[in-house]
C-alpha cells in the first residue's frame, strides 16, 4: 500500500491505495495503464475525492485526474465552455461569471472537479450539470480512443449518470466536459431558499449561493466532509401522509423520476430525528446542515461508517424511511455498500 490517499479524500482519512499516479497531461496515461497492468488490480479515478468515503485501504490503482485547461467558443446563441477534468468546478463557475457568461451561478461552490461533475450529475438550487452538459469527453479503454458522449446519452438523473456503473467506471476515464450556456440568460430562482430573495441578476444569485454554501457546508480543510452524505429519499404518497400526521410541514418535492412518488429532504429527517450536530467523538453531523457527515478530527473510516449507520437507524426508527448514501463508498476491492 504505497500511495497515500490522505490528500485525495476530503474526509481527510488516513487511508492508502496499493498504487497511484497523478495524471497531469495525456502523455501520462500510458504510464498509468502500465501501473494498472503491472498491479493486476482494478483502478479508480479520483478528482478531489470530495464525494467518496474509503472504508479502509484500497487494494488497487488510483488515477488522480489533474488534466487542466479551459477553452471558450461561441456561436450566435450559445457560449461553449470546454473544461479539462482536473479543473476545480467552482473555478469554472467563477471564470464564466467574470467573462459575463451566465447560467452556472446556482452551481457556485460545489466541491470537486469538472471530471467528477457528470458522474454524480452535481446539482444545487434547482440547477443540475445535465441542464448545460453538451458532452463528456472520455478516454475509452475498450476502443483505446478519445470519444464524446453527448449529454442526452449520459443517463443523467438525480445525482446519477451512466458513469456510475461498475462497467463504465472500468471503461471510461473522463477527460473533459463541454458546457453549452445559452446567451439568452434566464434566472433559476424557483428553489425555496432563492425564491424569497428578489435575486434578479446572475451576480446576485452567485453571491447568495456562495454565502449560503459557506454557512451550510464546512470547509473540508477545517472539518473533513463530503458534502451531502445521503440522497434525498424518494417515498410513496402513503409514507408522506403518515409523516404529515405528526409533521404537517414536512418539506417534500415531486420526484422527477416518478410522478406517483415524492422526494423528502434527508437533512430535515435527520434533523427531526435529533441528529443535527450529532457528535460521536470523532465523527458526526454538521450543526448547520444535518445532511453533512463530518470528521471532527482523527476519525477512522469505521468512525464515519458507524456515524452514518447511527443516522440511518435513527431516521428509520423515527420515520420508517431508509437513507441511501449519495457519497460513493469504496472498500478494499472497489465500490461497495456502506
Ligand atoms: N433541513 C433541515 N435541517 C437540516 C438541513 C435541512 O430542516 O439540518 C431542511 C431545510 O430547511 C429545507 C430542506 O431540509 O427545508 C432541504 O434542505 P436544503 O435546502 O439545505 O437542501 P438539501 O436537500 O439538504 C440539496 C443537495 C445539496 C444542495 C442543496 C441546495 C442533495 C443530497 N443535496 O440539499 O447538494 O446544495 O440541495 O440545492 O441533493 C451535495 O449534493 O453534496 C449537496 C451539497
Amino acid at each position: 500500500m504505497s500511495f497515500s490517499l490522505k490528500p485525495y479524500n476530503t474526509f481527510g482519512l488516513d487511508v492508502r491505495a496499493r498504487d497511484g499516479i497523478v495524471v497531469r497531461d495525456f502523455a501520462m496515461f500510458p504510464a498509468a495503464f502500465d501501473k494498472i497492468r503491472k498491479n493486476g488490480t482494478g483502478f479508480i479515478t479520483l478528482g478531489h475525492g470530495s464525494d467518496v468515503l474509503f472504508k479502509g485501504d484500497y487494494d488497487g490503482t488510483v488515477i488522480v485526474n489533474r488534466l487542466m485547461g479551459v477553452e471558450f467558443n461561441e456561436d450566435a446563441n450559445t457560449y461553449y465552455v470546454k473544461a479539462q477534468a482536473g479543473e476545480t468546478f467552482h473555478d469554472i463557475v467563477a471564470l464564466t461569471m467574470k467573462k459575463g457568461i451566465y447560467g452556472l451561478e446556482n452551481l457556485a461552490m460545489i466541491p470537486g472537479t469538472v471530471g467528477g461533475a457528470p458522474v454524480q450529475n452535481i446539482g444545487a438550487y434547482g440547477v443540475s450539470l445535465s441542464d448545460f452538459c453538451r458532452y463528456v469527453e472520455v478516454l475509452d479503454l475498450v476502443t483505446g480512443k478519445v470519444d464524446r458522449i453527448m449529454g442526452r446519452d449520459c443517463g443523467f438523473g438525480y445525482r446519477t449518470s451512466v458513469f456510475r456503473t461498475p462497467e463504465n467506471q472500468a471503461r471510461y476515464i473522463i477527460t473533459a466536459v463541454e458546457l453549452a450556456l445559452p446567451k439568452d440568460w434566464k434566472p433559476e430562482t424557483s428553489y425555496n431558499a432563492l425564491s424569497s430573495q428578489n435575486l434578479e441578476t446572475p451576480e446576485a444569485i452567485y453571491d447568495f449561493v456562495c454565502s449560503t454554501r459557506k454557512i451550510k457546508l464546512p470547509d473540508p480543510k477545517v472539518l473533513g466532509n463530503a458534502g451531502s452524505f445521503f440522497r434525498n429519499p424518494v417515498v410513496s404518497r402513503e409514507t408522506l401522509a403518515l409523516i404529515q400526521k405528526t409533521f404537517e410541514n414536512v418539506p417534500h418535492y415531486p420526484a422527477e423520476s416518478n410522478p406517483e412518488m415524492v422526494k423528502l429532504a434527508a437533512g430535515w429527517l435527520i434533523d427531526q430525528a435529533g441528529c443535527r450536530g450529532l457528535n460521536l467523538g470523532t465523527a458526526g453531523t454538521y450543526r448547520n446542515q444535518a445532511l453533512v457527515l463530518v470528521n471532527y478530527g482523527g476519525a477512522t473510516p469505521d468512525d464515519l461508517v458507524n456515524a452514518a449507520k447511527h443516522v440511518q437507524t435513527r431516521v428509520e426508527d423515527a420515520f420508517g424511511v431508509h437513507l441511501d448514501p449519495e457519497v460513493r463508498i469504496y472498500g478494499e476491492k472497489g465500490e461497495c455498500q456502506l
Side-chain angles (χ1 to χ4, degrees):
M1 296 289 170
S2 65
F3 191 78
S4 170
L5 294 171
K6 199 164 181 203
Y8 305 117
N9 77 97
T10 57
F11 272 121
L13 291 173
D14 193 4
V15 285
R16 305 182 77 80
R18 178 189 278 250
D19 204 353
I21 181 167
V22 180
V23 171
R24 297 186 194 282
D25 62 61
F26 256 83
M28 292 179 74
F29 276 121
F33 300 144
D34 273 354
K35 265 185 194 285
I36 295 168
R37 223 170 292 130
K38 195 181 85 217
N39 292 324
T41 60
F43 75 95
I44 56 176
T45 314
L46 289 180
H48 291 162
S50 57
D51 205 45
V52 297
L53 171 61
F54 285 98
K55 285 174 77 171
D57 290 347
Y58 168 60
D59 188 18
T61 308
V62 170
I63 296 180
V64 180
N65 194 330
R66 288 291 177 272
L67 298 173
M68 304 303 271
V70 193
E71 284 165 49
F72 291 89
N73 280 297
E74 63 184 284
D75 61 22
N77 302 318
T78 311
Y79 293 109
Y80 300 97
V81 184
K82 181 176 178 185
Q84 297 295 307
E87 291 283 347
T88 296
F89 191 82
H90 175 74
D91 290 351
I92 305 304
V93 178
L95 190 62
T96 54
M97 294 296 293
K98 220 162 125 191
K99 285 181 168 286
I101 299 174
Y102 303 126
L104 300 179
E105 53 282 346
N106 297 48
L107 303 178
M109 288 189 73
I110 294 189
T113 57
V114 166
V119 180
Q120 301 293 94
N121 187 22
I122 59 167
Y125 302 104
V127 175
S128 297
L129 183 87
S130 50
D131 296 330
F132 299 111
C133 179
R134 183 158 171 260
Y135 64 81
V136 176
E137 187 188 86
V138 294
L139 186 55
D140 183 339
L141 303 187
V142 170
T143 63
K145 292 195 176 120
V146 174
D147 208 348
R148 286 178 180 183
I149 301 180
M150 300 312 286
R152 62 179 169 275
D153 299 324
C154 288
F156 287 130
Y158 169 58
R159 294 296 188 276
T160 193
S161 73
V162 293
F163 303 107
R164 279 200 72 155
T165 66
E167 304 77 54
N168 286 341
Q169 202 178 323
R171 173 171 183 178
Y172 297 125
I173 294 177
I174 295 173
T175 52
V177 176
E178 184 167 291
L179 304 170
L181 297 159
K183 291 185 175 177
D184 179 19
W185 175 79
K186 289 193 188 67
E188 172 48 66
T189 52
S190 56
Y191 194 84
N192 274 353
L194 303 190
S195 57
S196 54
Q197 296 292 319
N198 259 330
L199 301 166
E200 279 164 13
T201 65
E203 287 80 9
I205 297 174
Y206 177 81
D207 290 345
F208 181 81
V209 169
C210 285
S211 53
T212 307
R213 279 200 164 272
K214 273 186 200 140
I215 296 166
K216 293 200 169 187
L217 284 183
D219 178 353
K221 289 190 202 93
V222 181
L223 215 53
N225 75 90
S228 299
F229 188 82
F230 297 103
R231 283 168 207 262
N232 285 328
V234 172
V235 302
S236 66
R237 294 197 173 272
E238 292 76 58
T239 303
L240 172 68
L242 220 60
I243 298 173
Q244 279 171 326
K245 279 189 184 163
T246 319
F247 300 95
E248 210 183 316
N249 296 325
V250 51
H252 60 95
Y253 320 92
E256 304 94 342
S257 52
N258 182 348
E260 303 297 306
M261 310 283 272
V262 288
K263 193 152 87 176
L264 301 178
W268 183 91
L269 294 168
I270 298 168
D271 194 347
Q272 294 299 321
C275 287
R276 178 156 58 84
L278 173 83
N279 188 338
L280 298 177
T282 52
T285 63
Y286 193 46
R287 64 174 189 284
N288 293 345
Q289 163 55 294
L291 193 46
V292 179
L293 198 73
V294 292
N295 176 353
Y296 278 116
T300 62
D302 279 353
D303 295 341
L304 282 162
V305 169
N306 289 339
K309 288 188 169 164
H310 179 98
V311 168
Q312 279 179 325
T313 306
R314 293 273 291 269
V315 168
E316 250 169 60
D317 288 351
F319 299 103
V321 174
H322 177 74
L323 296 181
D324 278 321
E326 187 265 319
V327 162
R328 302 178 84 177
I329 316 292
Y330 288 98
E332 196 187 357
K333 297 289 172 209
E335 193 160 11
C336 62
Q337 303 291 313
L338 187 68

